[in-house]
Amino acid sequence: MPNLKRFLLGNPLANEQAAHQRLSNPVALAVFSSDALSSVAYATEEILLMLVLAGTAALSLALPVAAGIGLLLVIVTVSYRQTIKAYPGGGGSYIVAKENLGVLPGLTAGASLLVDYILTVAVSISAGVAAITSAWPATAPYRIHMCLGFVVLLAIANLRGVRESGALFAGPTYLFVVTLGITIIAGLVKVATGGTIHVEPHAGEAVQGLTLYLVLRAFASGCTAMTGVEAIANGVQAFKQPEAVNARRTLTWMAGILLFLFVGTTLLAQVSGVTPSEGGATVVSQLAEGVFGRTVLYFVLQIATAVILVLAANTAYADFPRLASFMATDGFVPKQFSDRGYRLVFSNGIIVLSTVAAGLLVFFKGDTHLLIPLYAVGVFTGFTLSQAGMVVHWWKCREEGWHWSIAVNATGAVATGVVLAVIAITKFSHGAWLIVVVVPLMVAYSLWVKRRYAAAARRLALGPEERLKASWRSVNRMHNHVVLLVSAIDRRLIRAIQYVRSLSADDVEAVYVDVSGDKAAAFKEEWGRSEFGIRLTVLESPYREIIGPIERYIRAIERPTPDHVVTVVLPEFVPEDIADATLHTQTPLWIKTALYDEPGVIVVDVPYHIKFEAQGG
């Protein structure tokens, strides 16, 4: 296993190498912006899918809807530039909301973003696979298999380290930006010069009227283009120094590229007359085929789209573990999430993210359109709480230029709050209700974790009496009753007896369980001949149990005060290799597991290693 781990993840990284894992701006743009940039591949399509319900004439509203989303993007980008300036330590919406609005808003922001990052992985990978099946329909039956395969690959890449995964993913990200940019420019130039973009019509009858509610649904669906905008604010500390300056600069570049690609794709879709085909070729695929035909450029864009959509999940892999580590440090999620792993990444967060996202992909059968309604609720909750928190921050600190800052963040809070309401209402019956339920449950879980940690800390804290009792000057000591579990008289037992004699025990006994019911007399006789000087207790086991009789016997030993403990010593043979391990029982492991929860019981394992003992002998 160690060799396999080293093969997959590389050599371990020491703590002092953390500074060398920081990201340059071009690599950071690929790592933290892949989610936002890749959403261009399906955000326009989601707008069109809503509008086409009112007939193809309603598709003319796609560009105004996209322009509204673009304006919102500018507002949010400027707001998050302010956030990075005020909170260069990172943490984004969770930190800002918790410090300025209180614990509950902070946990709501944190839980919302954690859910959104899980959905980012599921949506991005399912959309990437959809791009593959659009270009090669024969691969459609293997959709789920490809989705799960990509999850595993992304998990391994990120477990290798932030810098390595960033360098690996930078090329495909920029390839997508360039090829889609060329498609947009070439298509618009073609139309402007009198040319035609040939797209296959998928016109259908209108199934409902063009209403304000339908337009709002289209707007809400298109807002998926903004998911991932907050990622840079969450991961400021991943940038090279000066972190805040580089993060703000990268955020601006990301917003500019995203605005051009999103509005440009929507404009090209409108002038070409493309219509969405649910279950068929994607809008980007239709546009590329209309502009280039099924040439090399078409397939390059399809491949780049598929890759960027899959790699968009990398934004979640960069931010989910980092956000979980902030919350774990504050005691709101299990502390294991704050531990850096083998390659200086938050490995536990990466593993949990992969597992839950894989479950979602299987449950929703890798269908992007089924997952989209769950999307964006979480991220806009984070947007709104973050901007509201920044309003409070500027009001409290009143630094130079705070009037401008508070106006920017107040505008951002109102704008994203309105959009959040629109998304929640229009998508509620289409699956968003699940997020509305899950986020409060996660907040409740976080509060429960905090209470449990606080209770444990209170119980573990040393008072004056405990400190005195623990000091070397104290005359108080534990009363130690040692129980040596024996199954045979061999080298394991000799090693265990040597250990027992090193203890300051008040009472020592050996315990033997007669499982077969006919070996007690013979064992007693052999024990007496050995002259170990330790009394032997034989436990009868009419039902051939081992663990049950031991548990009952240990519990029956009197322990009048907490200073009376029972030490259970387990002699254990250590197999030389995995093959040898299959030949031996795991009884010591089950005994340790059974006695772990017994108060006042200490379990000591005395392993016997054949090779080591032979050399020592």
Side-chain angles (χ1 to χ4, degrees):
M1 286 298 289
N3 291 333
L4 177 62
K5 184 176 183 179
R6 193 178 293 270
F7 172 75
L8 292 175
L9 306 183
N11 295 321
L13 296 177
N15 290 332
E16 56 266 22
Q17 293 177 275
H20 301 292
Q21 296 298 302
R22 298 291 186 97
L23 303 176
S24 63
N25 288 8
V27 175
L29 180 64
V31 170
F32 290 109
S33 302
S34 55
D35 177 22
L37 296 177
S38 68
S39 62
V40 174
Y42 52 81
T44 296
E45 183 164 354
E46 292 302 316
I47 294 174
L48 298 177
L49 281 170
M50 289 294 104
L51 293 176
V52 79
L53 295 175
T56 54
L59 296 178
S60 60
L61 292 176
L63 188 58
V65 169
I69 295 170
L71 176 61
L72 182 63
L73 170 63
V74 172
I75 295 172
V76 170
T77 300
V78 175
S79 298
Y80 269 110
R81 281 178 56 87
Q82 300 290 94
T83 301
I84 294 171
K85 179 181 178 181
Y87 289 89
S93 302
Y94 165 69
I95 296 293
V96 174
K98 182 172 70 72
E99 291 192 3
N100 296 287
L101 301 178
V103 171
L104 279 178
L107 291 177
T108 301
S112 299
L113 287 175
L114 289 178
V115 170
D116 185 73
Y117 291 140
I118 293 170
L119 288 168
T120 293
V121 175
V123 170
S124 299
I125 288 178
S126 65
V129 171
I132 294 174
T133 57
S134 291
W136 295 278
T139 61
Y142 306 101
R143 176 188 298 170
I144 299 296
H145 304 82
M146 288 190 288
C147 286
L148 296 181
F150 285 133
V151 170
V152 172
L153 289 175
L154 281 168
I156 292 173
N158 280 275
L159 286 171
R160 290 184 64 89
V162 174
R163 192 176 69 172
E164 284 202 24
S165 63
L168 178 66
F169 299 154
T173 299
Y174 289 114
L175 177 64
F176 170 76
V177 170
V178 171
T179 52
L180 183 57
I182 290 173
T183 303
I184 293 169
I185 294 171
L188 293 177
V189 168
K190 192 173 185 178
V191 172
T193 55
T196 303
I197 299 176
H198 298 285
V199 294
E200 184 179 349
H202 299 96
E205 294 183 3
V207 296
Q208 67 181 79
L210 181 60
T211 62
L212 177 60
Y213 180 75
L214 183 65
V215 175
L216 289 176
R217 281 186 64 189
F219 182 84
S221 296
C223 281
T224 54
M226 292 184 57
T227 56
V229 172
E230 81 296 336
I232 291 175
N234 286 339
V236 176
Q237 288 302 306
F239 285 79
K240 290 184 176 181
Q241 294 182 339
E243 295 93 340
V245 173
N246 287 326
R248 281 160 58 92
R249 186 173 296 148
T250 304
L251 176 63
T252 303
W253 271 100
M254 182 271 292
I257 296 170
L258 174 58
L259 187 63
F260 166 72
L261 294 180
F262 174 55
V263 176
T265 300
T266 308
L267 175 60
L268 185 60
Q270 185 159 315
V271 298
S272 66
V274 69
T275 52
S277 172
E278 192 164 353
T282 62
V283 166
V284 170
S285 175
Q286 293 182 62
L287 290 174
E289 187 173 1
V291 173
F292 302 121
R294 290 223 160 204
T295 61
V296 172
L297 282 175
Y298 166 79
F299 286 105
V300 168
L301 178 57
Q302 283 304 102
I303 293 171
T305 302
V307 173
I308 186 63
L309 284 169
V310 171
L311 298 187
N314 199 57
T315 296
Y317 277 100
D319 270 4
F320 180 98
R322 195 176 297 275
L323 174 56
S325 75
F326 283 119
M327 298 179 72
T329 301
D330 292 337
F332 289 114
V333 298
K335 292 188 181 297
Q336 296 92 314
F337 284 99
S338 64
D339 298 334
R340 289 187 183 270
Y342 184 81
R343 296 280 294 179
L344 290 175
V345 294
F346 300 106
S347 305
N348 292 322
I350 292 172
I351 293 169
V352 169
L353 173 63
S354 301
T355 304
V356 179
L360 279 177
L361 285 165
V362 171
F363 184 80
F364 288 99
K365 301 178 181 178
D367 192 325
T368 308
H369 300 300
L370 292 177
L371 289 162
I372 284 288
L374 308 178
Y375 209 26
V377 176
V379 72
F380 272 90
T381 301
F383 284 167
T384 304
L385 290 172
S386 173
Q387 303 315 308
M390 286 303 300
V391 171
V392 175
H393 168 81
W394 296 124
W395 180 259
K396 289 191 300 186
C397 71
R398 304 201 179 195
E399 299 174 359
E400 184 179 353
W402 69 274
H403 293 91
W404 159 252
S405 298
I406 203 171
V408 169
N409 288 122
T411 303
V414 172
T416 55
V418 170
V419 174
L420 173 61
V422 170
I423 293 174
I425 292 170
T426 58
K427 292 189 175 186
F428 188 83
S429 61
H430 298 275
W433 63 269
L434 185 62
I435 308 304
V436 175
V437 171
V438 168
V439 169
L441 288 177
M442 290 182 64
V443 171
Y445 170 74
S446 296
L447 293 173
W448 176 81
V449 170
K450 184 71 171 180
R451 286 196 300 270
R452 297 294 290 182
Y453 276 134
R458 287 194 301 270
R459 292 172 183 172
L460 293 173
L462 284 174
E465 293 183 1
E466 287 84 0
R467 291 181 184 275
L468 178 62
K469 186 185 296 184
S471 70
W472 288 106
R473 297 187 301 275
S474 173
V475 296
N476 295 331
R477 57 179 293 271
M478 281 185 169
H479 182 282
N480 190 6
H481 182 128
V482 175
V483 174
L484 171 62
L485 298 181
V486 298
S487 60
I489 297 176
D490 55 20
R491 292 179 182 271
R492 293 173 297 176
L493 178 62
I494 300 303
R495 173 61 75 190
I497 289 175
Q498 289 177 318
Y499 173 76
V500 167
R501 286 175 177 162
S502 71
L503 301 175
S504 298
D506 300 280
D507 192 10
V508 179
E509 65 174 316
V511 172
Y512 173 79
V513 181
D514 185 12
V515 178
S516 63
D518 59 0
K519 294 183 179 178
F523 192 84
K524 285 181 180 178
E525 184 179 347
E526 187 179 5
W527 186 267
R529 290 198 306 268
S530 301
E531 298 182 349
F532 293 127
I534 299 174
R535 79 175 188 273
L536 176 68
T537 301
V538 176
L539 304 180
E540 301 295 334
S541 181
Y543 298 103
R544 298 164 303 284
E545 293 181 278
I546 295 179
I547 297 173
I550 291 173
E551 278 189 292
R552 289 189 288 272
Y553 185 78
I554 297 299
R555 288 170 182 166
I557 297 175
E558 290 188 15
R559 295 192 290 278
T561 72
D563 289 332
H564 286 67
V565 298
V566 176
T567 299
V568 179
V569 178
L570 281 164
E572 184 175 1
F573 168 70
V574 180
E576 294 187 63
D577 50 41
I578 296 177
D580 203 22
T582 62
L583 307 178
H584 298 271
T585 66
Q586 301 300 315
T587 302
L589 173 63
W590 299 119
I591 293 174
K592 286 182 282 187
T593 303
L595 296 178
Y596 180 78
D597 290 331
E598 287 294 323
V601 175
I602 300 168
V603 182
V604 178
D605 187 73
V606 182
Y608 186 87
H609 299 262
I610 289 180
K611 290 183 178 179
F612 177 78
E613 301 296 343
Q615 292 171 358

